[in-house]
Amino acid sequence: MKTIKRLLKGILVLIILLVISLYFYLQHFKPKYKGELTLSPLENKVEVWFDSYGIPHIYAENKNDLYMAMGYLHAQERLFQMELVRRIAPGRLSEILGKDLLPTDKFFRTLGINLSSQEAAQKLRAQTNNPTLKEAEAYLSGINEFLKKGPTPLEYELLGIEKTPFTLEDIYNAVGYMSFSFAAAHKTDPLVSFINAELGASYLKDLGLKADTTRQMIPSYFGDPIGLNEKSSAKLLEMLNQLPVSPFIGSNGWVLGPSKTKSGKVLFANDPHIAFSQPSVWYEAYLETPDFQLYGYHLAGYPFAILGHNRQVAVGLTMLENDDVDFFREKENEADSNQYLYEGEWKSFDYRDEIIKVKDEEDIVFQVKTSLHGPIVNGVLGEIVGPGPVAMWWTYNKLPNQVLDATRKLNNAQSPENVTDALKLIHAPGLNVMYGDAKGNVAWWATARLIKRPDHVNSFTILNGATGEDDPLGYFEFAENPHSVNPPAGYVFSANNQPDSVNGYYYPGYYLPEDRARRIKQLIDSKNDWDKEDVKQMLMDETSPAVAQNIGVLLSAMENASLLGNDQKALELLQAWDGKFDGQSAAPIIYTRWLYTILEKAMKDELGQDKFDLFMSTDLRKRTFPLLIANDSSSWWYNADKKAVEPRQEVIYGALTSAVASLEDDLGKNVDKWRWWNIHTLTHNHALGVVPLLGKVLNVGDFHVSSGEEVINNWGYPVTTENKYRVSFGPSTRRVVDFSDIENSESILPTGQSGVFHSRHYDDQAQMYVEGKFRKMAINKKELTTSGKLLMLLPDKE
């Protein structure tokens, strides 16, 4: 017994020592929030005050020191996130994550974003007096100083990542990935082309691809050959789902002018919608020098804020959803496959070799083939149907990249004129830029180089590359872009919906339905005495008048239906429902399953299961549903299996009974116990969280949440027959800037400021976020010196 006791004591001591060792090992990784640090590149000392949520407020004597400090602090919280972001566009994920990411790397290598980044970086380096260059290099020097002096992140240790300096090319590659994630054509054009070629043009009518003047647009105020098929879209979606960094998806933004607010000052609101991940996409920081102030939201590895405000102006964004990608079928020379036909002449393809390093595998040599339209996507974008190569034409690669200059100008803007000067430099991605200021101005600009296309071109299908007749004709001038500056209504808004026409022309795009825009306008028009608390409440709004309208259409088709049991109870719940996605309600569950079942019965017989699943994963589904259920003569009511038209009413009726039966199987027969928030859940997943043991530590959640898709508080999820609707995207921040009380403007992040999992700021906002709470965006230094923590950054005098 004594021996056993001694053995147990020894084991206990060993466990205690291991726990203590692990504790001190993990402490080594923690970000530094107070004390002193000596940083070689600094010219003068920099004060950094951290607020209670770990957000740095950086006070420097000059811009170079300011951005150098910003780079260091950004790296100490988000270095692994920066590493992932800089690897996506140049196709270097396989190097650290293994062969599963090889198809993704091949695709991004084919796009050629890295080539554009190299060209842009070379041009910027030649402009030795350009302040953009100086500030970007100062930011990079801060990141690289942390690489030398800071602890190696745990993720680097686990994956065996070698630390290498960050460069200008990495900054431009971050913009390139953002631009790609905005381009919906990659995901949608192949499926549309398939439907057009195999089913006919009549099947496109209910997909909502053309501008619908009966729907809520963003008001402006001036004072068919088949090439890619559904497998191409599926391949891209599969690759995007593997990306360890969040893609951009949608957003809301509105700016209320003096005539709409209680204070007579501008109120600004913005909540960009981005796929959830941990850490979340934005890194917050307040920056100040004697002649510059900005409270900004920064992307990983990018020096200038994308969203921001100061005492004079506020700027935010939503995604424009314009169509800036076209696919061209090239006619290859049968006698020489190295040539293709263009305007009656044989042109030679360009070739380049790419070497992809793959973790624990041999290097892959990969050849990229390019025509004058762009890179050939055969072999990297799923299956290509029909003869010959298909090229991808993309605005991003066609014009000089001046986005870095543009964002710096935006960060320094003090007026609407300053903003427009900056926006003219942005060719891609397509953005809706929202603006408000202390002088009472409100504005919205659709920002991108919008393409002029021949009248006959349907940009949603594959085009003819041989004749030159389908080629873009150029670009519209920025002044011709949709916009609104100080409109008579007294406010501007955007929710990724279709902008109004300019000179009678509707710019083509992949715009989201009117649901959120309609609700935003409905609420804003309801009163003229808005204050900050009202706007915060509006950002959490869960009601969709468009869904309520859809329910009305569906119920009208059920007028003569004879229902029993839970079918009748479900119908009664929907009859009483106002379209609010209340977590305690069963109505959102019934509506969502009914929606799925109607689309399945109408479309799966023509598309097949794989194509139907693909359709449900795109935004086409959101635009199609209201058009389909209201159209008695839709081609989709034809049942390909029965070879007969099924009346709309019969499909809708049958879909309800099928939907209720499937819900009974999933949730039980007691409808009174069905609760939306029991099956609508949110988890913020870390890139390494797919490993079960790591997921328990690194992921944040699971939260049971209310709200739904295409409401203002937009929490999107895959609509399937699964008994869980797992939220995949939503507001990446909620911001309210109040120019009547600028020091008490408020915001929130989905999880926290830090990407270091044992920092107290890793998830300290997560519960607040799901509860709809906010916290202050502090800009008063006196307030910070009273309650914050001070970190002094000192120059190395040696």
Side-chain angles (χ1 to χ4, degrees):
M1 287 298 295
K2 289 182 179 179
T3 301
I4 293 174
K5 287 181 179 179
R6 284 197 296 270
L7 181 61
L8 291 175
K9 285 181 180 178
I11 292 172
L12 180 61
V13 169
L14 181 60
I15 290 172
I16 291 172
L17 289 174
L18 286 172
V19 170
I20 292 172
S21 298
L22 179 62
Y23 172 78
F24 282 106
Y25 174 72
L26 294 177
Q27 291 300 308
H28 167 71
F29 294 109
K30 272 192 173 182
K32 191 173 180 65
Y33 297 122
K34 60 182 179 180
E36 293 184 354
L37 280 174
T38 300
L39 304 182
S40 300
L42 285 179
E43 297 174 12
N44 303 286
K45 69 178 182 180
V46 175
E47 287 187 25
V48 183
W49 288 92
F50 288 92
D51 68 15
S52 57
Y53 292 94
I55 294 158
H57 297 69
I58 308 169
Y59 298 88
E61 294 181 27
N62 60 69
K63 289 280 194 70
N64 285 351
D65 283 351
L66 184 76
Y67 282 102
M68 187 270 155
M70 169 65 191
Y72 187 93
L73 296 170
H74 200 170
Q76 81 160 351
E77 303 279 12
R78 303 290 189 92
L79 185 61
F80 180 59
Q81 186 183 44
M82 291 177 174
E83 185 70 42
L84 292 175
V85 168
R86 73 163 165 171
R87 286 177 176 270
I88 295 175
R92 295 184 55 222
L93 289 171
S94 302
E95 195 174 323
I96 60 171
L97 299 177
K99 62 183 179 181
D100 288 347
L101 274 296
L102 186 57
T104 306
D105 282 349
K106 286 184 176 181
F107 175 72
F108 278 100
R109 296 270 181 135
T110 299
L111 290 186
I113 295 173
N114 194 41
L115 298 179
S116 297
S117 297
Q118 291 171 4
E119 181 181 347
Q122 183 179 3
K123 287 182 178 179
L124 185 60
R125 288 190 182 101
Q127 302 170 37
T128 53
N129 293 322
N130 188 335
T132 300
L133 173 65
K134 293 179 179 179
E135 291 165 20
E137 287 187 331
Y139 173 78
L140 290 168
S141 71
I143 297 174
N144 294 330
E145 183 80 351
F146 181 80
L147 285 175
K148 289 187 290 185
K149 293 188 174 180
T152 301
L154 184 61
E155 294 94 337
Y156 276 62
E157 302 277 12
L158 292 172
L159 294 173
I161 300 172
E162 179 184 354
K163 293 195 288 188
T164 57
F166 280 68
T167 66
L168 278 176
E169 286 80 1
D170 294 326
I171 292 175
Y172 281 108
N173 279 330
V175 175
Y177 169 63
M178 180 176 73
S179 299
F180 164 78
S181 70
F182 284 18
H186 303 92
K187 311 157 198 170
T188 308
D189 279 6
L191 183 60
V192 173
S193 293
F194 171 83
I195 293 171
N196 183 53
E198 295 295 317
L199 302 178
S202 67
Y203 281 84
L204 299 181
K205 292 180 180 177
D206 291 317
L207 300 188
L209 296 172
K210 292 185 177 180
D212 183 351
T213 57
T214 67
R215 303 284 173 172
Q216 181 60 59
M217 296 187 178
I218 308 175
S220 290
Y221 178 69
F222 287 78
D224 294 351
I226 184 168
L228 283 70
N229 72 356
E230 83 291 345
K231 293 183 181 178
S232 304
S233 293
K235 180 69 173 178
L236 179 61
L237 289 168
E238 177 188 336
M239 291 189 290
L240 290 177
N241 289 336
Q242 286 186 308
L243 286 176
V245 176
S246 309
F248 290 69
I249 292 170
S251 306
N252 302 312
W254 62 91
V255 192
L256 307 179
S259 65
K260 295 295 294 181
T261 64
K262 185 182 295 185
S263 66
K265 298 291 185 180
V266 166
L267 267 171
F268 178 102
N270 190 205
D271 64 338
H273 302 155
I274 300 175
F276 286 121
S277 65
Q278 178 57 9
S280 55
V281 66
W282 300 115
Y283 178 80
E284 290 186 50
Y286 176 72
L287 310 179
E288 183 172 319
T289 67
D291 59 352
F292 174 77
Q293 301 86 37
L294 183 74
Y295 193 108
Y297 284 68
H298 299 256
L299 295 173
Y302 196 77
F304 305 119
I306 307 299
L307 321 172
H309 77 277
N310 53 34
R311 295 179 184 276
Q312 287 74 44
V313 305
V315 175
L317 61 83
T318 72
M319 276 53 87
L320 177 57
E321 310 285 0
N322 59 303
D323 183 6
D324 62 0
V325 171
D326 286 331
F327 291 98
F328 287 87
R329 166 79 70 186
E330 307 291 15
K331 182 176 177 58
E332 201 169 70
N333 189 342
E334 294 180 5
D336 184 354
S337 61
N338 293 315
Q339 294 183 330
Y340 62 99
L341 187 65
Y342 183 72
E343 293 185 334
E345 295 183 10
W346 293 110
K347 304 281 187 180
S348 295
F349 287 107
D350 291 326
Y351 295 89
R352 71 174 188 273
D353 287 336
E354 296 277 356
I355 300 174
I356 304 178
K357 295 183 180 298
V358 184
K359 186 176 183 180
D360 300 327
E361 302 280 343
E362 295 291 328
D363 292 355
I364 300 295
V365 179
F366 172 60
Q367 189 173 71
V368 178
K369 181 178 179 179
T370 306
S371 74
L372 58 80
H373 290 115
I376 304 302
V377 295
N378 303 56
V380 297
L381 194 55
E383 181 179 331
I384 305 297
V385 177
V390 171
M392 194 187 86
W393 188 101
W394 184 21
T395 300
Y396 181 81
N397 286 335
K398 298 298 181 181
L399 294 170
N401 190 328
Q402 301 180 79
V403 175
L404 203 55
D405 286 310
T407 48
R408 182 190 177 275
K409 283 178 175 288
L410 275 178
N411 287 186
N412 287 273
Q414 299 295 315
S415 68
E417 292 75 22
N418 294 157
V419 172
T420 55
D421 286 344
L423 300 185
K424 291 174 185 177
L425 301 178
I426 298 176
H427 70 294
L431 305 170
N432 290 301
V433 175
M434 316 302 295
Y435 173 88
D437 66 27
K439 295 179 179 179
N441 295 302
V442 301
W444 152 73
W445 295 273
T447 302
R449 293 301 303 274
L450 298 176
I451 304 167
K452 290 182 179 179
R453 293 182 172 97
D455 292 340
H456 71 274
V457 163
N458 179 354
S459 65
F460 302 115
T461 60
I462 312 305
L463 305 176
N464 188 333
T467 65
E469 294 175 359
D470 291 353
D471 287 12
L473 302 175
Y475 303 91
F476 291 93
E477 294 298 322
F478 179 77
E480 298 177 90
N481 284 16
H483 63 272
S484 182
V485 179
N486 293 325
Y491 64 91
V492 293
F493 68 95
S494 163
N496 316 117
N497 52 314
Q498 167 83 54
D500 205 348
S501 65
V502 177
N503 298 323
Y505 179 73
Y506 293 94
Y507 293 93
Y510 298 86
Y511 307 108
L512 289 169
E514 65 168 351
D515 302 28
R516 287 180 284 119
R518 182 174 166 189
R519 180 62 171 171
I520 289 169
K521 187 175 188 304
Q522 181 187 70
L523 291 174
I524 293 175
D525 286 344
S526 69
K527 54 187 287 185
N528 294 319
D529 59 347
W530 287 88
D531 62 21
K532 182 177 69 176
E533 294 305 314
D534 295 331
V535 172
K536 287 162 57 178
Q537 185 176 351
M538 184 172 162
L539 280 165
M540 296 302 299
D541 188 78
E542 301 173 347
T543 299
S544 170
V547 165
Q549 182 173 311
N550 291 343
I551 289 292
V553 172
L554 294 171
L555 294 178
S556 68
M558 301 289 291
E559 286 179 348
N560 299 319
S562 177
L563 300 173
L564 299 172
N566 282 341
D567 292 344
Q568 179 61 29
K569 189 160 191 175
L571 192 66
E572 291 171 357
L573 286 170
L574 292 174
Q575 287 172 333
W577 191 39
D578 63 356
K580 182 178 181 180
F581 284 74
D582 187 330
Q584 299 185 68
S585 174
I589 302 174
I590 299 165
Y591 172 75
T592 304
R593 188 62 59 88
W594 195 9
L595 176 154
Y596 178 91
T597 311
I598 290 170
L599 291 172
E600 180 185 41
K601 287 181 177 294
M603 304 179 78
K604 193 174 79 170
D605 53 310
E606 284 97 347
L607 296 177
Q609 187 68 57
D610 290 344
K611 302 182 193 70
F612 176 70
D613 290 344
L614 176 62
F615 170 83
M616 293 297 293
S617 70
T618 70
D619 287 333
L620 286 175
R621 184 259 302 172
K622 298 176 184 178
R623 295 194 292 271
T624 297
F625 187 68
L627 299 174
L628 175 67
I629 61 174
N631 185 3
D632 273 321
S633 59
S634 173
S635 296
W636 293 104
W637 300 127
Y638 177 78
N639 189 307
D641 297 328
K642 297 179 180 179
K643 298 188 179 350
V645 173
E646 288 188 289
R648 177 179 68 97
Q649 290 84 351
E650 288 185 15
V651 176
I652 291 173
Y653 173 86
L656 179 64
T657 58
S658 296
V660 172
S662 69
L663 288 171
E664 288 175 338
D665 291 340
D666 290 342
L667 305 176
K669 295 187 181 297
N670 188 348
V671 178
D672 292 333
K673 292 185 177 181
W674 294 359
R675 297 287 184 272
W676 176 237
W677 55 26
N678 286 343
I679 65 170
H680 189 231
T681 63
L682 167 61
T683 299
H684 306 275
N685 294 303
H686 188 278
L688 302 184
V690 292
V691 179
L693 183 61
L694 293 176
K696 291 180 180 179
V697 176
L698 299 176
N699 295 343
V700 177
D702 207 24
F703 298 101
H704 291 258
V705 295
S706 59
S707 200
E709 68 169 15
E710 294 307 315
V711 295
I712 295 177
N713 184 30
N714 186 17
W715 282 349
Y717 41 86
V719 175
T720 67
T721 55
E722 292 185 16
N723 62 357
K724 288 283 187 182
Y725 294 113
R726 303 182 191 280
V727 175
S728 56
F729 71 86
S732 56
T733 175
R734 302 186 185 102
R735 302 165 60 220
V736 181
V737 179
D738 183 358
F739 281 99
S740 72
D741 187 14
I742 196 68
E743 292 185 1
N744 286 302
S745 297
E746 297 183 56
S747 69
I748 195 73
L749 291 176
T751 55
Q753 171 80 343
S754 183
V756 180
F757 81 92
H758 47 286
S759 165
R760 65 186 293 260
H761 303 302
Y762 187 71
D763 60 358
D764 57 342
Q765 298 178 55
Q767 188 63 43
M768 295 170 61
Y769 174 83
V770 297
E771 293 175 1
K773 295 179 179 178
F774 291 74
R775 42 93 186 145
K776 183 185 293 190
M777 294 185 283
I779 60 173
N780 187 322
K781 187 175 180 181
K782 289 182 180 179
E783 183 179 335
L784 289 161
T785 56
T786 301
S787 59
K789 295 178 181 178
L790 174 62
L791 175 65
M792 291 295 297
L793 304 180
L794 304 173
D796 189 344
K797 297 299 184 182
E798 294 182 5

